[in-house]
Amino acid sequence: MPAKGRDRTVKRGFKEDFLDKVSNREAKIAVIGLGYVGLPLAAAFARKGFPVVGIDVDSKKVESLSRGESYIDDVPSEELRSLPDFRATTDFGALSKTDAAIICVPTPLNKTQDPDIRFVMAAGQEVAKYVHPGMLVVLESTTYPGTTEEMLLPMVSHDGKLRVGEDFFLAFSPERIDPGNPVYHVENTPKVVGGVTPACLEVASALYGSVVEHVVPVSSPAAAEMTKLLENTFRAVNIALVNEVALMCDKLGLNVWEVIDAAATKPYGFMKFTPGPGIGGHCIPLDPHYLAWKLKTLNYNARFIQLASEINADMPRYVVGKVTDALNDERKPVNGSRILVLGVAYKKDIGDVRESPALDIIRLLQGKGADVVYNDPHVPELELDGEPLRSIDLTEEALRWSDCAVIVTDHSDYDWDWILQHAGLVVDTRNATAGVGGRARVVEL
Ligand code: SAJ
């Protein structure tokens, strides 16, 4: 006999069905974009027993994954091959049979430093082709507040014909993958989630909650989009601050590294950042511009972002000024000098050169007539404005050959003692040689 009063059975809808599929690990998950964000995410869901299909437009990536060969260090090939139910395809038609589609495609800047969301829009169009009742769609790509609701929602809902929160679900959840981080990975990095409706938030939180230890629900997709931009704008602005402090200490004749280390002894209210040759990577130089652009459309000038960008972008020129002065002290013009750049990756112990300040430093030195070579144990070769460059072997001869060695990326591989034994002049932009003796004259940032 049914209990007296209100019918106790829950009206079953798509939300309840979705939640059931998540709790018994039957939800079929598609991850669109199999790069340093998408592949680790796909692997995390597959490790939990979900059937996962990875979709990417790059057939080479798909073929490699289908052969069980990973191109992402954080998902080694042997792990890829051990995933219980993962496949990769270029066919977006696979979406017609999935319960969730998570978009992890790049969001670069275009030539005028404005957001370029064409990859998000292209993925959205594919999702719109195959969206079906009960499906959850999540955008993870870093983007400006409003993208999910203003750009993706009309597309995926077919201009409202599908009711969001009832017929399908839509959310934003910023990626927080830190490639190579030995401590933080998908499962133990808190995941911020913002749904278009409460039901969207509920199903997206349930899905992520099945793989991530801590889900952080927020009130809307825009709040989630803004959260990610705050995280990375915070870094860009604070890096710019210490870069400007380095310029100030130079004027004051103070050692910026000593000052920062001393400030870092404050047990509260301070967070250590370090100056450097500029900022690289696919996040910090770009993400703040997404925020500044959006605010410009609202007639607001994001001054901190603009100033930080100017200071960070000017650091390569400042480094070249240091090199110029150091050579000048030895009566050597930059023009014709032999310069060895040590480390070209955008940060230590990785091989990624995207937006690396080393590239700007090489360009500027070449522009002044220097003969520039580089060594980077993680970057065997690179292309600079169409010109192929290869990493030279780091030998005693190479160090003695150089009129100046410039430490741009302080990879752990480097033996600073040995380098200072054989180089004559070193410009150190990373404080890598602090406390290291040797023959070389060292000029600090
Ligand atoms: N940099 C400095 N001084 C610093 C810190 C960084 O000059 O104190 C430079 C680095 O050399 C590099 C650039 O800034 O050229 C960016 O470095 P990053 O440490 O921010 O590393 P990224 O670009 O890999 O940033 C990613 C981001 N992760 C995500 O967006 C999910 C960022 O939010 C992370 O905080 C960062 O990794 C991290 O902490 O490793």
Side-chain angles (χ1 to χ4, degrees), residues 36-37 142 174-179 181 228 231-232 235-236 238-239 242-243 272-285 287 312 345-348 350 354-357 408-410 430:
Y36 78 89
V37 174
T142 304
E175 61 92 359
R176 279 179 168 175
I177 300 285
D178 183 24
N181 191 312
K228 173 60 188 271
E231 289 165 10
N232 283 358
R235 285 185 76 73
N238 279 286
I239 292 165
V242 288
N243 280 333
K272 179 177 178 179
F273 286 86
T274 52
I279 61 171
H282 30 278
C283 307
I284 307 308
D287 297 351
N312 289 332
Y346 79 79
K347 70 177 182 179
K348 71 189 297 186
I350 63 168
R354 275 178 288 186
E355 306 288 325
S356 174
V408 178
T409 309
D410 50 335
R430 296 287 191 174

Side-chain angles (χ1 to χ4, degrees), residues 311-351:
I311 291 173
N312 289 332
D314 197 46
M315 290 310 285
R317 193 197 53 73
Y318 177 73
V319 168
V320 170
K322 281 283 181 182
V323 172
T324 303
D325 293 347
L327 285 167
N328 192 52
D329 292 345
E330 304 194 354
R331 301 179 183 278
K332 292 179 182 175
V334 175
N335 195 347
S337 284
R338 300 180 299 245
I339 297 176
L340 167 59
V341 171
L342 295 176
V344 292
Y346 79 79
K347 70 177 182 179
K348 71 189 297 186
D349 300 342
I350 63 168

Side-chain angles (χ1 to χ4, degrees), residues 92 105 246 263 420:
F92 281 85
V105 297
L420 294 198

